[in-house]
Amino acid sequence: MKIISICPSNTELLTYLQLEHQLIAIDDFSDWPSSIQHLPRLGPDLSINMDLLESMEPELVIASLSVPGMEKNIEELERRKIPHLVLNPNSLQEIADDLRILGKACGVLEHAEVRAAEFESFVASMKKIGESCEIKPSLYWEWWPNPIFTPGGINWLTEVSDIAGGVNLFADVELASVQTDWNDVLKRNPDYAFLAWVGVQHHRIKPGHLLKRPGASEMSAIKLDRLHVMEEWLYCRPSPRLLEGALKLATLIHPKEYVNLTLPEWIIEK
């Protein structure tokens, strides 16, 4: 099957189903795995070159609604009558479900069922440990600095925080993504602060950006030296790579409790 992915998380889902060899093109931001980096690029995920995509005559395009603005890709695929599948997971369970949906669409449902079940089993193992943690620190996740965007309660990072033995600082807001301000963050006074700016190269995110803000030095996370720059690709994309991020987070905030837990081999970064 000639498959095109126009979103990094979808490219990763295909890879975890061992379908990356069927890809004929990808979006500009699909940077994993290394084995497909030679493929033609179709532009940023919000500005896909649909003329080029159509000329490649794909049998299936894997599209997404995980980022605001991707709706126009779907509309154009429909207008051109290009075969496509749209994914839009907000939870860990929906990511497992998408493995099954994608597996069925690509003719590898049996393999997808195994992967999805292993994914769910690992989530359950982490959740069990997380529930046993006596202290559950509050975690502030920053997706974008100005204006400030942070994940709300309807988002996989709330679950990732939970299974890692923590609590998302904005879990009480019933949104997938919350636009807030620095004063609100200060009032909530998180125990940890994590910077994972979407679309910004890891080395360009400096803790000093947050430390310069008014009152930052009085926040518990700063007083306790718990400000960390995190990998955007392990926390901001709805794919099984989130489990790698979740375990890394868990061993950071609860190193003893999660010491004996090991990721499934197929999750580990290629």
Side-chain angles (χ1 to χ4, degrees):
M1 182 178 285
K2 294 165 60 179
I3 303 173
I4 289 178
S5 170
I6 55 175
C7 174
S9 58
N10 289 348
T11 304
E12 293 169 11
L13 285 164
L14 288 163
T15 298
Y16 283 124
L17 292 176
Q18 298 177 303
L19 293 168
E20 69 271 25
H21 63 284
Q22 296 187 32
L23 282 165
I24 60 171
I26 51 179
D27 65 281
D28 285 3
F29 297 144
S30 286
D31 54 7
W32 184 89
S34 58
S35 60
I36 62 167
Q37 297 309 303
H38 65 285
L39 291 174
R41 302 279 178 167
L42 298 174
D45 51 13
L46 292 179
S47 302
I48 296 298
N49 185 334
M50 284 294 172
D51 290 335
L52 179 56
L53 184 152
E54 186 174 24
S55 72
M56 293 182 172
E57 300 182 346
E59 294 172 75
L60 184 64
V61 176
I62 313 300
S64 174
L65 288 172
S66 63
V67 175
M70 287 184 173
E71 295 85 356
K72 63 181 181 181
N73 291 331
I74 316 302
E75 292 168 2
E76 193 63 17
L77 289 168
E78 291 175 349
R79 187 183 73 81
R80 295 173 186 243
K81 296 181 171 55
I82 299 172
H84 63 279
L85 178 64
V86 183
L87 304 179
N88 185 28
N90 281 307
S91 69
L92 295 179
Q93 183 58 56
E94 288 174 350
I95 291 171
D97 293 342
D98 282 349
L99 283 169
R100 295 184 174 98
I101 291 169
L102 196 52
K104 183 177 181 180
C106 298
V108 292
L109 179 57
E110 185 175 347
H111 178 57
E113 288 283 6
V114 173
R115 284 284 185 261
E118 290 174 342
F119 179 92
E120 291 164 340
S121 177
F122 189 81
V123 170
S125 296
M126 284 199 67
K127 185 176 182 179
K128 185 176 180 179
I129 298 173
E131 289 173 345
S132 70
C133 294
E134 294 184 6
I135 299 174
K136 297 185 179 182
S138 56
L139 316 179
Y140 167 59
W141 295 93
E142 187 170 289
W143 272 350
W144 195 250
N146 187 26
I148 290 174
F149 277 92
T150 185
I154 311 173
N155 185 270
W156 59 81
L157 271 179
T158 290
E159 292 180 85
V160 166
S161 300
D162 179 59
I163 66 175
V167 179
N168 175 15
L169 191 66
F170 284 82
D172 62 310
V173 183
E174 291 297 305
L175 294 171
S177 184
V178 180
Q179 181 177 342
T180 186
D181 57 46
W182 182 238
N183 286 334
D184 192 12
V185 176
L186 284 178
K187 288 177 183 177
R188 291 171 181 256
N189 195 26
D191 298 310
Y192 285 84
F194 300 117
L195 306 182
W197 297 350
V198 178
V200 178
Q201 293 179 320
H202 189 259
H203 70 273
R204 294 184 60 192
I205 305 175
K206 306 296 183 184
H209 290 297
L210 185 144
L211 295 173
K212 292 177 183 177
R213 297 173 187 169
S217 60
E218 298 305 310
M219 193 164 68
S220 292
I222 306 306
K223 288 181 177 180
L224 296 169
D225 193 25
R226 292 174 174 174
L227 170 60
H228 302 273
V229 177
M230 307 298 273
E231 298 89 339
E232 178 262 355
W233 56 90
L234 295 184
Y235 298 97
C236 300
R237 301 177 185 178
S239 92
R241 290 181 90 186
L242 288 174
L243 296 191
E244 186 178 347
L247 187 57
K248 178 176 181 177
L249 173 67
T251 54
L252 174 65
I253 64 179
H254 294 293
K256 294 181 180 179
E257 288 82 351
Y258 291 84
V259 67
N260 294 320
L261 194 60
T262 304
L263 281 167
E265 288 187 5
W266 59 273
I267 291 288
I268 299 173
E269 188 169 354
K270 294 185 178 183

